[in-house]
Amino acid sequence: MSMNYIREQFHTLKARIEEPRRFMQVLVGPRQVGKTTLVHQVVQDISLPHTVEVADAVEPKDSDWIRRVWESARTTMRLRGESERLLVIDEVQKIDNWSEVVKREWDEDTRHEVNLKVVLLGSSRLLLKKGLTESLAGRFELIRLGHWSYKEMKDAFGLSLDEYIYFGGYPGAATLIKDEKRWRKYIKDALVAPAIEKDVLMTSNIYKPALMKQLFELGCGYSAEMLSLTKLMGQLQDAGNVTTLASYLEILDQCALLTGLQKYANDEARKRSSIPKYQVYNNALLTAYKGRSFETDRTDARLWGRWVESAVGAHLLAMADEAGFEVYYWREPAKNRGDKDNEVDFILVNDGEVIAIEVKSGRRTMNSGLPSFANTFHPKKSFVVGSGGVSLEDFLSADIKVLFD
């Protein structure tokens, strides 16, 4: 296994740091996808002198901390007579008002022509989004680091397709998959707990943290399935109301953990009022809350179909942000009683172009969803992934952006 595995974003970040100082580089992504590792790899690979600071243990109210580490980096430059230096601040979103302080220091360096280059790292998209859009407009470039793809997990850790579908794409957990109890414990304790407690609860006003956790665990277990929030509420101890649940789901989506896909429709109101189809951002989350064991679930054809569909959904979500498309599902009730509803698993939308994707693993018979959708909406492409279509291996290894070319 290699922690030396080089992800694609390594090259982007390295090239940008080596350019003349123009923009801050902001590396964002969910927890445990290797942001810190990637920055360390880059820093070791360049000749630029650097300072790396981590805001993790700093008191959130101490926003002067940023100014102090910045000033130290400048002073070091002066004392050593350096013409340029790199300052890396990790977990920057932990500090209150971080973006205002960063803006002030960056602008001061720009005015005085101090050649201090800056890389910021942060795990919660929520906070980073707020700070970046409000204060730092025009001063930064974003580099997104998402969950690990099948290709990355295969190349770095030798995971097979089935193992990837079941255990998902967390590099830190890859070496534990032969001991499933330990693997599950790691996912829940080392990944989910901190993501919920630190990222989600720290960054949003959540009045019912216990409800948020329950919603998350239940929602993960329903990945690739539809269930109305009203029905979901019946399974929660402390129900709150539908509006609260919807807003919690939105926050989990912002943190790249779990989303509720909306139904594709021509008008916004109908999209919003649709029943959500739950989708994890990483199949490890489905398995941690719903899996029995790899052997058992792999040999249950009906169940495995859901794992496969969820893996395809996670792959699409991982690409959606960067490639700028949106992901929906589609469903029309059957005309006659007793007939099956028409469904299409995933609808991708980019600048008015539409692509329809049906996922089929051995057990699933084709419904008439694709032809029916095609007749109504005339998508640019519609195809099957899995049995009798594009192979799963090809689809999960591919960059989805090419579909829109």
Side-chain angles (χ1 to χ4, degrees), residues 150 157-169 177-178 294 298 304:
Y150 163 56
F157 305 100
L159 259 66
S160 70
L161 183 62
D162 284 355
E163 285 171 338
Y164 176 74
I165 287 169
Y166 198 70
F167 296 106
I177 65 175
K178 296 288 178 256
F294 180 53
R298 178 62 190 96
W304 187 248

Side-chain angles (χ1 to χ4, degrees), residues 262-263 265-274 326 328:
Q262 295 177 330
K263 175 180 158 176
N266 276 338
D267 63 287
E268 281 304 312
R270 282 178 55 197
K271 280 180 192 163
R272 277 209 196 83
S273 60
S274 62
E326 285 169 325
Y328 300 95

Side-chain angles (χ1 to χ4, degrees), residues 42-62:
V42 170
V43 160
Q44 282 163 7
D45 202 56
I46 57 179
S47 53
L48 200 64
H50 55 269
T51 306
V52 179
E53 298 287 355
V54 185
D56 214 5
V58 182
E59 193 52 48
K61 291 187 173 50
D62 183 9

